[in-house]
Each structure stands twice: as C-alpha cells, then as structure tokens.
Amino acid sequence: ARFVTEFEVEHIIVSPSRRGAVEVEQAYLEFVVLPNLHVKTGAILMPLGIINLTHEPPTFYGVERPLVDRTIIPSTWWSAGIQLTHRLETGIEYDLMVSEGLKTQDPTSVANAQPFNIRLGKQKASFADAFDPAITGRIRYSGIPGLELAVFGQYQFDLDQSADDSYADDATLFGANIIYGWRNFEFRGLYARWDLYGELAADAEQDVQQGGYVELSYKPIEKLGVFVRQSIWSLETSLENMQTDIGLNWWPYSNIVFKFDYQFQNEDAGDVDGFNLGMGYQF
C-alpha cells in the first residue's frame, strides 16, 4: 500500500479579502490487490480527460488550462470515493469509480444562483452531501508508443443532492481524448458533453453543455515548444464560443516553465483578445 497526497496553495495569499485557496487535491490510500489491479480510496482526482489527472503547469501549453477542460469536465476535479484500476498486458487500462456527486446551486436559496453550472457543483469532499453518488468510468489504450486513446463517462443520479424532488435531475457526461506524439510534434484532441435531464434545464437552454479542442505543438529544441489550439464550447444552446490560442513554453529545467500565449475569441465567447504571461513549477 502507499499514500498519495497533493497540497496546493493558489494565488499565494489566502484571506477573506484576497483571492486564493489552500487545497488538498489528492489524499488517498492505494492498495495493490494484484500486480495489475489497484484500489484507491480517499480524495481522488476524477479519471476524466487529459488535464484533470496531470494538471501541473509544466505539463501543458498555455498559461491557463484549456477552456473545455475548465468548463465542461471541469478541471481540477477531485472527489471522495473509491476507485478500481485494472491494467491489461494489451495496453488497455480501465478505471471504475464511485464517489460523491455534484451539488449544483439551489436557485431559491442562493443569490444570483446558477443552478446548471457544472463547475460550481464540485463539492471537493469537505462536508459533501451524498444523498446520491456519481459513477465514473474510463477506458484508456496506450499499447502503441506515442499514442494514447481514451473514452470516459460519468452518471450523476441527482445534480442537486436533494432528498426529494427539486430543480435538477440526473445527468450524464461522455467524452473522448487522443494524444499522439511523433518526433518533435504532439497532437491533442478532446471532446466532452453533458446531458442534463429535466424540464428546467431544457427551459434554460442548458440541458446540453459540450465542447472540444484540437492542439498541435512542436519542440524545435528540447527546452522550447510552440503550440496552437482551437477550442469550441457551448454552455447554452444559443451560444457557440470559439477561442484560438497560440504561444510558447520554455523549460529551463524539467519542472520549471515560463509561458506566453495570445488568445482570440469570437463574440459569443466575449470577444476578448489579449495575451497572458506566466511561470510555473512543481516539486
């Protein structure tokens, strides 16, 4: 058995008047049942998408994580639960997890509530309501060098965790991703879609929330990489947000990165163009 934990301080200062957070994003025990069969229990990162499991700044391009990963999946997402991971000799691996579910905002008790905002429904294990759990699954293939293919999904029994009928019903998430590296090039692609069931979600035009992106990167030298990413996502039926990102990463050391990117948005996404500068490290 082993114990895994991740402690994070975001935005340096944490106080009632300053933006920031102190979080334990992982804290679980992992038991080896068989050489290729592991069981985790505790606060676990959800096995969804590309960024959620590996989200430290040196591991991805751009100052901010891809918008689809942040809004649709949404990263970084962890929950208290138990997870089974089975690895086969064919290069196939599957995960099955039972955990706390989401708890979206109640429009009758929260000012300016967003009852169908998936990201705001993350409970993060602390004082989580768990009238209804969530079931998460993923199948991943990595049997060919440089290639990773995955499909993933989740079923939420009740988005608002109420003991009786309320404003939100059940929901499903489905997605897939690909990573392929060839020489100094790497291609990434991801698609994810939520289906929220119930008349209120449909009336708010938020019963389908989906998005995807494609990203191509190239490293002319070992410590320098450039990328371009095209993202399309929709949190409401009537909107189609689009953003293009271009930029570069410089790794003076393997766990330290300096980043620059420029973004272009369409009108639905807010028409915000501009650049970002950042640095990151992990240890």
Side-chain angles (χ1 to χ4, degrees), residues 10-108:
E10 294 186 349
H11 304 297
I12 301 178
I13 297 176
V14 181
S15 72
S17 61
R18 306 262 184 123
R19 180 183 175 190
V22 177
E23 298 174 332
V24 179
E25 294 188 349
Q26 299 183 75
Y28 63 84
L29 291 170
E30 182 174 12
F31 299 92
V32 180
V33 180
L34 296 171
N36 60 350
L37 182 65
H38 293 201
V39 174
K40 300 176 182 177
T41 180
I44 307 168
L45 291 169
M46 310 296 281
L48 300 168
I50 297 173
I51 297 294
N52 200 59
L53 288 172
T54 308
H55 54 264
E56 288 72 28
T59 65
F60 63 88
Y61 283 94
V63 175
E64 300 289 347
R65 297 164 190 164
L67 276 159
V68 175
D69 285 290
R70 284 153 43 202
T71 57
I72 304 297
I73 288 183
S75 301
T76 302
W77 184 6
W78 72 91
S79 295
I82 183 168
Q83 176 180 315
L84 173 73
T85 299
H86 188 199
R87 300 181 180 91
L88 305 177
E89 294 182 358
T90 58
I92 295 175
E93 172 183 306
Y94 65 84
D95 304 287
L96 182 62
M97 182 176 177
V98 179
S99 67
E100 68 192 48
L102 296 168
K103 183 181 180 180
T104 52
Q105 293 182 338
D106 185 346
T108 65

Side-chain angles (χ1 to χ4, degrees), residues 120-154:
L120 294 180
K122 296 187 298 181
Q123 298 198 76
K124 301 183 178 181
S126 180
F127 299 103
D129 289 331
F131 290 104
D132 296 286
I135 298 176
T136 305
R138 180 182 70 156
I139 301 175
R140 186 172 73 98
Y141 174 73
S142 57
I144 299 175
L147 176 66
E148 176 183 319
L149 298 170
V151 293
F152 53 87
Q154 184 181 89

Side-chain angles (χ1 to χ4, degrees), residues 198-207:
E199 293 183 2
L200 293 180
D203 291 343
E205 295 190 332
Q206 292 182 284
D207 54 324

